[in-house]
Amino acid sequence: MLEAIGLQKTFQTKAERVFALREFTYAFPEKGLVFILGKSGCGKTTLLNLLGGLDVPTAGQLLYNGEDVAAFSARRREEYRAAHVGIVLQQNNLFFDLTVRENILFCAGEGADPEPVARQLGIEELLDRRINELSGGQAQRVTIARALLQDADILLCDEPTGNLDAATGEEIFRLLKELSADRLVVVVTHDRQSAETYGDAVVRMRAGKIEQTMQADGSGGEACAEDEP
Ligand SMILES: Nc1ncnc2c1ncn2[C@@H]1O[C@H](COP(=O)(O)OP(=O)(O)O)[C@@H](O)[C@H]1O
Ligand SMILES: [Mg+2]
């Protein structure tokens, strides 16, 4: 389980000290889909970077199964990231003139097999196509396949549908929902409606802090507490 306790991140620029994350405390579930909402600049990407071990907080703890990732050495943090974390970004960071297969395998170890994960994401027919021969939604599936290849138990997605049309975005959210049956999926989005439709929990941030958290009600999954009269 992943638990953030008082996570803080400041950046020192020439002119000032920026509080990107002021105080973020939240216990993420082991599995499920958690959405992070909030205005641009409120600290969402900073938070994902900390959760993924890509960056270290200036204060606070990030407990993964009780161990503080924030206190790990750089090497141990890299091991944590490699073993547990998959990352999906808005700009998909794929190599456009390589094939789907080559892209999925790009960071994978010797002998990795792209087929099971490609099948899971419905892109097995596309393995030998180049990225520039895919639609935006297909390309985003490739990014997710790459992130999942190492069997990540934490999938972090930073505005994964930001460059997609609404219908394709919806497809990706449904896919992330499916994937969250077996792992924790944390998704930053501006799409409040999808967050409330698909999220098991929604965290709304403001100025580096949590403004509100909403838990989907277990029964139907459609309503978030905030929507109740
Ligand atoms: N490397 C950095 N140096 C200085 N300020 C930064 C850096 N990264 C982010 N920030 C600042 O931290 C705040 C939060 O940024 P970010 O986490 O990217 O927000 P969001 O993803 O919610 O748009 C913003 O004010 C941003 O300008
Ligand atoms: Mg961001």
Side-chain angles (χ1 to χ4, degrees):
M1 202 194 56
L2 196 62
E3 187 173 7
I5 304 173
L7 277 188
Q8 182 205 76
K9 180 72 184 179
T10 61
F11 293 101
Q12 187 65 53
T13 66
K14 266 193 190 142
E16 55 175 342
R17 188 149 172 241
V18 181
F19 282 79
L21 212 56
R22 283 169 191 275
E23 141 78 45
F24 187 97
T25 297
Y26 191 75
F28 291 89
E30 200 139 339
K31 294 170 186 182
L33 187 50
V34 178
F35 281 92
I36 311 282
L37 295 174
K39 287 200 182 120
S40 181
C42 74
K44 305 180 298 297
T45 296
T46 302
L47 173 69
L48 286 196
N49 288 342
L50 296 180
L51 297 180
L54 301 173
D55 204 351
V56 279
T58 38
Q61 295 180 303
L62 177 68
L63 301 183
Y64 178 77
N65 293 339
E67 285 192 291
D68 186 8
V69 176
F72 283 178
S73 65
R75 173 153 176 215
R76 200 143 168 242
R77 203 169 57 247
E78 173 53 26
E79 285 166 5
Y80 158 79
R81 196 199 56 69
H84 301 293
V85 180
I87 293 172
V88 175
L89 303 173
Q90 176 176 349
Q91 332 79 303
N92 52 38
N93 292 335
L94 297 168
F95 297 97
F96 277 77
D97 49 0
L98 296 185
T99 65
V100 169
R101 184 189 307 277
E102 289 164 338
N103 270 280
I104 293 177
L105 291 175
F106 197 79
C107 299
E110 227 22 55
D113 180 3
E115 301 210 357
V117 76
R119 211 169 301 126
Q120 187 179 11
L121 299 199
I123 52 171
E124 72 273 34
E125 307 290 319
L126 305 175
L127 279 168
D128 295 308
R129 278 216 216 161
R130 292 178 204 286
I131 301 302
N132 55 22
E133 299 164 339
L134 303 181
S135 71
Q138 289 169 333
Q140 199 54 302
R141 283 169 188 261
V142 176
T143 325
I144 298 170
R146 186 179 58 185
L148 286 180
L149 188 62
Q150 283 138 333
D151 212 17
D153 52 3
I154 303 171
L155 186 61
L156 303 175
C157 309
D158 201 349
E159 305 190 29
T161 64
N163 288 342
L164 305 176
D165 63 73
T168 311
E170 189 92 345
E171 251 177 54
I172 296 293
F173 283 130
R174 270 198 291 264
L175 175 64
L176 293 173
K177 179 79 184 175
E178 274 172 39
L179 295 173
S180 73
D182 302 318
R183 56 181 66 72
L184 170 64
V185 180
V186 181
V187 183
V188 167
T189 185
H190 290 291
D191 185 345
R192 175 166 177 259
Q193 180 157 9
S194 293
E196 292 180 358
T197 304
Y198 296 107
D200 297 305
V202 180
V203 176
R204 190 193 304 281
M205 289 177 64
R206 185 192 176 94
K209 290 186 184 175
I210 293 182
E211 183 179 42
Q212 186 181 29
T213 62
M214 296 166 268
Q215 203 70 30
D217 69 13
S219 56
E222 83 289 353
C224 289
E226 190 204 37
D227 288 342
E228 278 157 22

